[in-house]
Amino acid sequence: MTIRSDRSLEPFNVYIAVVGLAWACNYAQKMLIAWLLLGLAGDCFAKIYEDVSELPGLDYDFVIVGAGAAGSVVANRLTENPNFSVLVLEAGVSNEGVIDSIVPFFLENLIAQNIYEWNYTTTPQVGLNNRSIPYSRAYMLGGCTSHNGMIYTRGSAEDYNRWADVTSDPGWSWDSLLPYFFKNEKWTPPADNHDTRGEFNPAVHSTHGINSVSLSGSRWPIFENQVIQTTREFPEEFPFNLDYNSGEPLGVGWLQSTIGGGKRSSSATSYLGPKFIQRPNLHVLLHAQVSRLLGPQTTKGVVTFGGVEFSQGGSLFTAKATKEIILSAGSIGTPVILLNSGVGGKNALTALGITSVLDLPSVGQNATDQPATIAAWSVNSTQTLDPIKQNATLFNEAYAQWNASHTGPFTNFGITHIAWTRLNANSPIFENVTDPAAGPKTPHIEILVGTGGSGAEQTGNFISFTMVMLTPTSRGSITLQSNNPFDPPLIDPGLLVTDFDLFTTRESIKRAYRLIEAPVWKDYTIAPTVNLLNMSTDALDEFIRNNSSPAAHMVSTAAMSAKDASYGVVNPDLLVKGASGLRIIDASIIPFIPSAHTQAATYVVAERGADLIKQRWT
Ligand SMILES: Cc1cc2nc3c(=O)[nH]c(=O)nc-3n(C[C@H](O)[C@H](O)[C@H](O)COP(=O)(O)OP(=O)(O)OC[C@H]3O[C@@H](n4cnc5c(N)ncnc54)[C@H](O)[C@@H]3O)c2cc1C
Ligand SMILES: *[C@@H]1O[C@H](CO)[C@@H](O)[C@H](O)[C@H]1NC(C)=O
Ligand SMILES: *[C@@H]1O[C@H](CO)[C@@H](O)[C@H](O)[C@H]1NC(C)=O
Ligand SMILES: *[C@@H]1O[C@H](CO)[C@@H](O)[C@H](O)[C@H]1NC(C)=O
Ligand SMILES: *[C@@H]1O[C@H](CO)[C@@H](O)[C@H](O)[C@H]1NC(C)=O
Ligand SMILES: *[C@@H]1O[C@H](CO)[C@@H](O)[C@H](O)[C@H]1NC(C)=O
Ligand SMILES: *[C@@H]1O[C@H](CO)[C@@H](O)[C@H](O)[C@H]1NC(C)=O
Ligand SMILES: *[C@@H]1O[C@H](CO)[C@@H](O)[C@H](O)[C@H]1NC(C)=O
Ligand SMILES: *[C@@H]1O[C@H](CO)[C@@H](O)[C@H](O)[C@H]1NC(C)=O
Ligand SMILES: *[C@@H]1O[C@H](CO)[C@@H](O)[C@H](O)[C@H]1NC(C)=O
Ligand SMILES: *[C@@H]1O[C@H](CO)[C@@H](O)[C@H](O)[C@H]1NC(C)=O
């Protein structure tokens, strides 16, 4: 990319623009004056801008970097107040009409290298036999919620109570956050409208939030019965749990997903949906990659930045925030922007030729992700997802059904339940390692159970279990390889570096095989596709290192800590330590990974974060 000179857009002919639009849109006179005073052109149509020259100006009250899970929430909530003007800068492309992002079944199409991806690769992972592997991050409106697995899991109450403990802010406890989970969640009937009694607990859900969550919209009755029968045959190890999102996840419960009406519900389709994007005080600019924060000024040891530099079409621009800059670029994007702005460990930045502005050695450190492995079995049942993948006629039938009514097998991708389980209290690993789980009601292991093989098989019927190691003790990092803000960063999720993580992954595989030992599976399963149970420990470890992948749940790279802590990047109010007017609201601030997939946790961080901003400015 060639970088031309910095330039700021002049607010062009604001008066004419506002008068014209206000007239056309029939705005009240009062609004017209308000917009004139704000120096903003209102627009009566949905406003997602593709080109910076279409923006009326680059001065706003708030500039939000990144329109992923968190950024979209913050943009939505701040613009509830018509007095606030908000600009969202998103590097990626539009999600509009992207069929792979709409049809739940097409999820897999989005995870490979494609135009909706940052296409990141990790550093060689010592814990993975030195493999460098893809690290998925979405490059599109909605961020990773536009291409993630849609699995909706909050984690344990203990997970959030630990956040409250380590930050000394009771506002981060489960009880305090529950209203924010409810602001986020819009519990929705499943696509097939089946009777959902006995499959969830309505008391722990909300129907008045913004992002749709539902039970599966198509059934796999034979397989589902296998799983439910297991909870009866092995009630000690795998008890039925009516609702794992109650704060007490242990046991086996029905899958809940961020799907509504048979379609993916992302932060783009929900928080930036038609109802909200028309707000005249909300401007979203695509293809705008932020490189750094500009113009640092230090007064009494506190740094304030003058603007946000971003690139579009080979030119650099500067957006200004009179109230706050909010970084919501995610666990990779956010530390990268901070480091490029001179906010990070002083020595490492100086070595790269970046002037240190704020010495915060925790930026990019403590990266935490959960390793996942897969086990599959061939089965004595034709009722699995495989025929749809193997037979074009069936595929087209399912596609036609989805096209016609947003129902049928394309409304999910085969996972029916989740089993959450703990290591035994007397497990030998605890001789040497303090239990990293947040408490005794917090799982170490998740087993996602579903029908269907890998998709590579030409024939046959399969079931697959994905085991996620939820409570890793390994840590990685996000660092820079150069002082060019457009170079990809060095991404080290630090997977499976510790004995505990390897031990627990091994144990997660044993638990998956144990589940299938329930008598009900006897005539159902035929054989494992790879027999992991008869391997020596060394062979199993090698299998794990060769085959594990990151769950793509990275957190903690700009972690929140207590106000007086000697480490951390943001205070419990999410303001950057040592800075003013700069907040971070995304998964990077999460101080300990929840025992869960991370979108619900990120949404709740964003809902509370937006409230903290509103409290500050109103
Ligand atoms: C493949 C995959 C599957 C997943 N499956 C699940 C799941 O099933 N359930 C679940 O709960 N969680 C899942 N997750 C995790 C979940 O989606 C993330 O934890 C969540 O989206 C994090 O939200 P965020 O706002 O922090 O970041 P993101 O959602 O990643 O949003 C960050 C946004 O910032 C933009 N951005 C980054 N850098 C810049 C820059 N320099 N300038 C401008 N814009 C920038 C990005 O393009 C992106 O749109 C999955 C993640 C992946 C990748
Ligand atoms: C917006 O500003 C006006 C004028 O200052 C004030 O009366 C009103 O309460 C504000 N609205 C909100 C939602 O803060
Ligand atoms: C990711 O790779 C695809 C395919 O090679 C490419 O088209 C796309 O532009 C890349 N994404 C980014 C952000 O560079
Ligand atoms: C992985 O790389 C490290 C450092 O380069 C090396 O010491 C180690 O032997 C390698 N491990 C394997 C399994 O190749
Ligand atoms: C990483 O997090 C731990 C708390 O879990 C903290 O003690 C440590 O200081 C952090 N390290 C950095 C570099 O921030
Ligand atoms: C594919 O499915 C159709 C419809 O059920 C069936 O008629 C056809 O025989 C199947 N094809 C193969 C190769 O199994
Ligand atoms: C379904 O709709 C999509 C997009 O409109 C189209 O590409 C596809 O061919 C349709 N498929 C079927 C089987 O109707
Ligand atoms: C605990 O650590 C000791 C000393 O390093 C080691 O000998 C032992 O095998 C470890 N126990 C387990 C269960 O890993
Ligand atoms: C498949 O299931 C049927 C009964 O449903 C049983 O008779 C048969 O033995 C099973 N086959 C295998 C390979 O388990
Ligand atoms: C493990 O089981 C598989 C069949 O599932 C077999 O091929 C393999 O030889 C067995 N390995 C050992 C070490 O017994
Ligand atoms: C693991 O990967 C290495 C390097 O690719 C290979 O030599 C080895 O056979 C693999 N082991 C297993 C158990 O797959």
Side-chain angles (χ1 to χ4, degrees), residues 380 522-526:
N380 185 13
K522 191 170 162 290
D523 290 333
Y524 183 88
T525 46
I526 298 172

Side-chain angles (χ1 to χ4, degrees), residues 87-315:
L87 173 66
V88 185
L89 297 169
E90 166 57 50
V93 300
S94 172
N95 65 308
E96 197 63 40
V98 178
I99 195 74
D100 290 337
S101 177
I102 300 171
V103 182
F105 184 78
F106 291 166
L107 157 76
E108 284 169 16
N109 299 344
L110 285 172
I111 312 297
Q113 288 225 343
N114 61 63
I115 59 166
Y116 311 112
E117 259 289 333
W118 285 85
N119 306 322
Y120 286 137
T121 302
T122 68
T123 59
Q125 294 293 289
V126 178
L128 302 182
N129 256 345
N130 287 343
R131 287 183 297 137
S132 282
I133 52 172
Y135 198 89
S136 176
R137 289 289 99 177
Y139 187 75
M140 70 195 298
L141 203 63
C144 295
T145 69
S146 289
H147 79 171
N148 70 15
M150 296 165 283
I151 292 163
Y152 180 77
T153 60
R154 296 174 181 164
S156 72
E158 293 167 342
D159 283 327
Y160 297 91
N161 294 339
R162 171 159 63 177
W163 294 11
D165 281 351
V166 297
T167 60
S168 305
D169 177 357
W172 291 111
S173 69
W174 169 266
D175 285 346
S176 305
L177 290 176
L178 204 52
Y180 293 111
F181 280 113
F182 287 179
K183 285 187 84 168
N184 168 248
E185 180 188 47
K186 182 179 180 179
W187 187 266
T188 306
D192 63 356
N193 262 309
H194 73 264
D195 182 352
T196 54
R197 280 173 299 176
E199 296 184 1
F200 78 112
N201 177 6
V204 300
H205 294 279
S206 132
T207 52
H208 59 262
I210 293 188
N211 196 38
S212 299
V213 177
S214 63
L215 291 157
S216 289
S218 71
R219 312 311 298 268
W220 302 97
I222 296 173
F223 179 75
E224 288 167 4
N225 183 60
Q226 292 289 124
V227 178
I228 294 301
Q229 188 58 27
T230 304
T231 67
R232 298 186 184 120
E233 292 177 349
F234 284 172
E236 301 278 309
E237 289 163 88
F238 299 106
F240 178 68
N241 185 342
L242 177 62
D243 203 313
Y244 51 68
N245 281 321
S246 65
E248 298 197 0
L250 292 171
V252 181
W254 291 85
L255 183 75
Q256 301 178 13
S257 303
T258 47
I259 295 175
K263 296 191 266 188
R264 172 191 295 271
S265 180
S266 68
S267 69
T269 64
S270 60
Y271 283 90
L272 300 179
K275 217 165 114 191
F276 306 111
I277 198 68
Q278 312 195 17
R279 289 178 184 156
N281 55 340
L282 172 57
H283 294 177
V284 177
L285 180 64
L286 300 174
H287 322 296
Q289 183 172 340
V290 169
S291 36
R292 58 191 142 205
L293 309 175
L294 293 175
Q297 298 222 315
T298 305
T299 316
K300 292 184 185 158
V302 176
V303 180
T304 311
F305 289 92
V308 180
E309 179 188 76
F310 66 97
S311 139
Q312 188 181 71
S315 299

Side-chain angles (χ1 to χ4, degrees), residues 391 393-394 397:
N391 179 327
T393 309
L394 293 174
E397 276 172 23

Side-chain angles (χ1 to χ4, degrees), residues 527-536:
T529 55
V530 180
N531 192 334
L532 301 173
L533 211 52
N534 67 353
M535 285 184 182
S536 67

Side-chain angles (χ1 to χ4, degrees), residues 316-617:
L316 291 176
F317 303 89
T318 302
K320 291 196 170 139
T322 52
K323 292 189 168 70
E324 288 188 21
I325 297 164
I326 296 132
L327 296 181
S328 301
S331 292
I332 294 177
T334 287
V336 166
I337 293 166
L338 290 170
L339 294 169
N340 279 305
S341 310
V343 180
K346 185 173 181 172
N347 296 340
L349 291 178
T350 307
L352 286 168
I354 296 172
T355 307
S356 170
V357 171
L358 196 50
D359 187 16
L360 284 178
S362 295
V363 173
Q365 300 301 306
N366 265 336
T368 313
D369 198 356
Q370 298 157 329
T373 50
I374 297 180
W377 289 262
S378 56
V379 295
N380 185 13
S381 165
T382 52
Q383 197 188 82
T384 69
L385 207 58
D386 305 284
I388 296 169
K389 293 185 176 177
Q390 294 160 4
N391 179 327
T393 309
L394 293 174
F395 180 96
N396 285 330
E397 276 172 23
Y399 201 174
Q401 179 180 358
W402 188 90
N403 277 357
S405 60
H406 300 144
T407 60
F410 277 15
T411 61
N412 66 31
F413 51 94
I415 294 173
T416 64
H417 298 84
I418 306 182
W420 308 89
T421 178
R422 277 180 64 77
L423 296 175
N424 297 330
N426 62 359
S427 171
I429 194 75
F430 293 129
E431 289 167 17
N432 292 346
V433 182
T434 308
D435 185 356
K441 292 177 173 178
T442 298
H444 300 108
I445 293 166
E446 173 186 19
I447 308 172
L448 297 151
V449 301
T451 83
S454 69
E457 304 90 355
Q458 300 295 307
T459 59
N461 294 94
F462 302 87
I463 59 171
S464 324
F465 292 5
T466 301
M467 289 72 73
V468 184
M469 210 288 277
L470 298 167
T471 54
T473 58
S474 302
R475 296 290 182 266
S477 64
I478 301 296
T479 52
L480 301 182
Q481 55 174 314
S482 78
N483 60 10
N484 177 350
F486 299 101
D487 274 351
L490 299 169
I491 298 169
D492 176 12
L495 289 180
L496 290 170
V497 175
T498 61
D499 290 346
F500 178 85
D501 292 10
L502 188 60
F503 176 92
T504 308
T505 301
R506 232 186 273 137
E507 201 58 28
S508 74
I509 292 171
K510 291 180 189 160
R511 289 299 168 88
Y513 275 76
R514 175 67 184 151
L515 197 159
I516 223 93
E517 273 173 21
V520 68
W521 299 94
K522 191 170 162 290
D523 290 333
Y524 183 88
T525 46
I526 298 172
T529 55
V530 180
N531 192 334
L532 301 173
L533 211 52
N534 67 353
M535 285 184 182
S536 67
T537 300
D538 282 353
L540 183 57
D541 286 352
E542 176 151 293
F543 173 86
I544 290 169
R545 295 196 190 285
N546 276 7
N547 293 286
S548 298
S549 56
H553 292 162
M554 188 180 285
V555 299
S556 294
T557 51
M560 162 167 82
S561 67
K563 232 182 157 108
D564 57 0
S566 59
Y567 68 97
V569 178
V570 297
N571 285 326
D573 57 9
L574 309 186
L575 283 164
V576 171
K577 292 170 185 283
S580 126
L582 178 61
R583 234 180 266 256
I584 302 177
I585 304 185
D586 60 26
S588 69
I589 69 97
I590 291 176
F592 283 95
I593 196 160
S595 54
H597 302 246
T598 42
Q599 65 174 342
T602 308
Y603 276 130
V604 92
V605 162
E607 284 284 8
R608 179 163 191 239
D611 248 14
L612 292 168
I613 297 176
K614 285 175 160 177
Q615 282 158 24
R616 163 67 182 83
W617 294 102

